[in-house]
Amino acid sequence: MKFKLLAIALLISSFCAAQKEQFKFDFTSNKAQKGYTKIDSSNRYTAEKGYGYDLQSSSAGENKPFYFSVQVPDGNYKVTIRIGSKNKAGITTVRGESRRLFIENLATKKGEIVEVTFIINKRNSKISENENVKIKQREKKKLNWDDKLTIEFNGDAPLVESMTIQKVNNIPTVFLFGDSTVVDQDNEPWASWGQMITRFFDMNVCFANYAESGESANTFIAAGRLKKALSQMKAGDYIFVEFGHNDQKQKGPDKGPYTSYFNSLRTFITEAKARGAHPVLVTPTQRRSFNEQGKIMDTHGEYPNAMKKLAREENVPLIDLNAMTRTLYETWGVELSTKAFVHYPANTYPGQTQALADNTHFNPYGAYEISKCIIEGMKANKLDIVKYLKKDYKPFNPQKPDAIDSFHWNQSPFTEVEKPDGN
């Protein structure tokens, strides 16, 4: 009987934690502020408790990366963090879920506390009581698909005083649909523009990245990814759709740029418009495919043109990332462009016995630059959400990319040498 009562109590505790929509945590060594939950090194995450340090043994105050998770329902959350310390200087970077970048290299002096706020989307794979997204085996460990909202604190000397998390319902959401060039990559050294673009927008908009490696437009729909997003979508939201890399590999009588691809893209547009959301099409990013003259060779056939045709027919905005990345890669040139992709000699990362030379997938620097191309595409299309760009965003020109030496990235603790699905 005692065990049954304990099990019921744990279940109720877990349910309450999952339903709670506001949390306040105090990470200092002082007495907790009124209304805040005191957090020390012993506060490890458990499903029963619903919050705590997660994934690693490190905790706040140890001057190394740490993770903190909170069990919350699906939705958008306003996260407010007081960064800094009364006792020392620091440099703090904050990422969320599967390495979405929000706060970049924020320097604080001794005694300085800076309050920052951002909006983050959390979801799991449940569509309804009887239906789930058909996620892949390798996705089952992704932080994007679990029941927790996970915040990663990183940087040269990360410092956090307190954090509050509160559910918000009136924030426009930008849903990202795409493949491995868009997806939130969990592990170093892989990255995509969808997890970098979050850094440049303020607390008035939220990005929900539903992209996944290896997906084409039709398989994305078949897996229930679109259906899950539609269950969360509201009027005034946006969808950004970038496919083409994997679609072009499909063979068969009904497969091709003006058949299955075209029709699947139209499905995204139709479903978004039916809910009062704004569809935006994004042509597939170029591959790093130089010819002998140092020019990028087109490898996507008619797929970019098919998307452009549909954009004209449906009168929806189109961001020509295909064209912008051609300019960007040619500006870098054959050698320097490798610094934007996953090109690393053997033994750079644990378990990496062979050199990595991937000409499709970006590293963090490359993904950071591509995300700026997307933003310039938003501006060119006069999308309303550009009014939510942070004040420190500077106009970007693919003919004048940021110097790689100016990009400082503190790597997350987890690495993977296996290439993402898709090419």
Side-chain angles (χ1 to χ4, degrees), residues 154-368:
N154 210 314
D156 293 341
L159 297 172
V160 55
E161 183 183 77
S162 65
M163 177 170 65
T164 65
I165 299 172
Q166 182 175 5
K167 198 170 192 296
V168 291
N169 299 312
N170 59 345
I171 297 293
T173 303
V174 181
F175 292 87
L176 305 182
F177 302 155
D179 51 36
S180 58
T181 64
V182 186
V183 69
D184 290 342
Q185 301 281 5
D186 277 74
N187 302 316
E188 304 288 351
W190 315 92
S192 296
W193 68 257
Q195 63 195 132
M196 297 294 178
I197 200 168
T198 46
R199 177 260 181 264
F200 301 106
F201 285 82
D202 66 21
M203 58 180 284
N204 293 297
V205 66
C206 185
F207 285 80
N209 194 349
Y210 279 62
E212 177 51 34
S213 300
E215 294 285 26
S216 55
N218 60 339
T219 63
F220 184 98
I221 295 171
R225 300 178 194 275
L226 173 60
K227 193 171 185 178
K228 171 67 178 183
L230 294 176
S231 73
Q232 308 293 308
M233 199 174 294
K234 62 186 182 300
D237 288 346
Y238 286 78
I239 68 164
F240 280 56
V241 184
E242 185 201 326
F243 290 102
H245 278 260
N246 302 306
D247 306 74
Q248 68 177 138
K249 295 183 289 186
Q250 295 183 348
K251 307 298 180 184
D254 64 337
K255 300 295 190 293
Y258 296 101
T259 51
S260 60
Y261 179 69
F262 198 85
N263 294 331
S264 294
L265 294 181
R266 194 191 296 276
T267 297
F268 289 114
I269 294 170
T270 300
E271 294 287 359
K273 287 182 174 180
R275 287 158 179 79
H278 309 292
V280 179
L281 297 181
V282 183
T283 56
T285 180
Q286 290 280 1
R287 298 180 176 93
R288 182 182 168 277
S289 55
F290 287 93
N291 62 19
E292 293 180 355
Q293 289 73 46
K295 299 296 183 181
I296 288 292
M297 298 181 291
D298 288 319
T299 62
H300 292 96
E302 280 295 302
Y303 283 84
N305 288 334
M307 180 179 279
K308 292 175 184 178
K309 181 176 186 295
L310 180 62
R312 291 191 298 269
E313 288 185 9
E314 293 287 342
N315 192 29
V316 300
L318 178 131
I319 296 174
D320 196 355
L321 187 60
N322 193 263
M324 283 192 281
T325 49
R326 179 190 297 111
T327 299
L328 180 62
Y329 301 169
E330 290 179 355
T331 299
W332 277 324
V334 176
E335 294 303 320
L336 188 58
S337 61
T338 62
K339 304 297 183 182
F341 288 80
V342 178
H343 276 245
Y344 296 95
N347 302 312
T348 302
Y349 294 95
Q352 182 205 344
T353 57
Q354 297 181 343
L356 290 171
D358 189 307
N359 294 313
T360 298
H361 301 108
F362 319 118
N363 62 17
Y365 166 68
Y368 194 88

Side-chain angles (χ1 to χ4, degrees), residues 18-203:
Q19 295 303 308
K20 189 175 179 180
E21 295 188 348
Q22 184 176 28
F23 296 83
K24 295 183 177 182
F25 301 105
D26 186 329
F27 294 90
T28 67
S29 57
N30 305 321
K31 183 179 178 181
Q33 306 172 57
K34 184 178 180 180
Y36 283 70
T37 300
K38 184 66 184 173
I39 301 297
D40 59 32
S41 59
S42 66
N43 286 109
R44 315 308 304 180
Y45 179 85
T46 64
E48 293 77 22
K49 184 168 60 177
Y51 65 86
Y53 292 112
D54 203 4
L55 305 179
Q56 286 190 301
S57 60
S58 56
S59 306
E62 297 182 12
N63 283 341
K64 56 184 178 181
F66 67 93
Y67 294 82
F68 193 87
S69 294
V70 185
Q71 191 178 115
V72 295
D74 283 4
N76 294 336
Y77 288 84
K78 177 182 177 181
V79 179
T80 300
I81 305 172
R82 289 174 59 80
I83 291 175
S85 169
K86 296 178 180 179
N87 304 315
K88 53 188 173 182
I91 302 178
T92 306
T93 287
V94 182
R95 299 190 274 257
E97 293 290 85
S98 292
R99 285 168 71 232
R100 288 176 231 156
L101 179 62
F102 291 97
I103 307 300
E104 180 186 17
N105 303 321
L106 176 59
T108 50
K109 301 174 184 177
K110 179 181 178 180
E112 181 183 18
I113 305 296
V114 177
E115 186 171 283
V116 297
T117 300
F118 56 87
I119 309 296
I120 186 170
N121 178 266
K122 178 269 172 193
R123 68 170 187 269
N124 59 27
S125 60
K126 196 174 188 65
I127 300 173
S128 66
E129 288 301 319
N130 302 312
E131 190 174 10
N132 289 277
V133 179
K134 299 180 181 67
I135 61 175
K136 301 174 182 178
Q137 185 63 36
R138 67 185 294 173
E139 289 183 86
K140 292 181 179 179
K141 293 182 179 179
K142 286 180 74 75
L143 299 178
N144 272 356
W145 286 114
D146 61 20
D147 289 319
K148 304 176 295 184
L149 174 59
T150 300
I151 306 297
E152 174 194 346
F153 293 89
N154 210 314
D156 293 341
L159 297 172
V160 55
E161 183 183 77
S162 65
M163 177 170 65
T164 65
I165 299 172
Q166 182 175 5
K167 198 170 192 296
V168 291
N169 299 312
N170 59 345
I171 297 293
T173 303
V174 181
F175 292 87
L176 305 182
F177 302 155
D179 51 36
S180 58
T181 64
V182 186
V183 69
D184 290 342
Q185 301 281 5
D186 277 74
N187 302 316
E188 304 288 351
W190 315 92
S192 296
W193 68 257
Q195 63 195 132
M196 297 294 178
I197 200 168
T198 46
R199 177 260 181 264
F200 301 106
F201 285 82
D202 66 21
M203 58 180 284

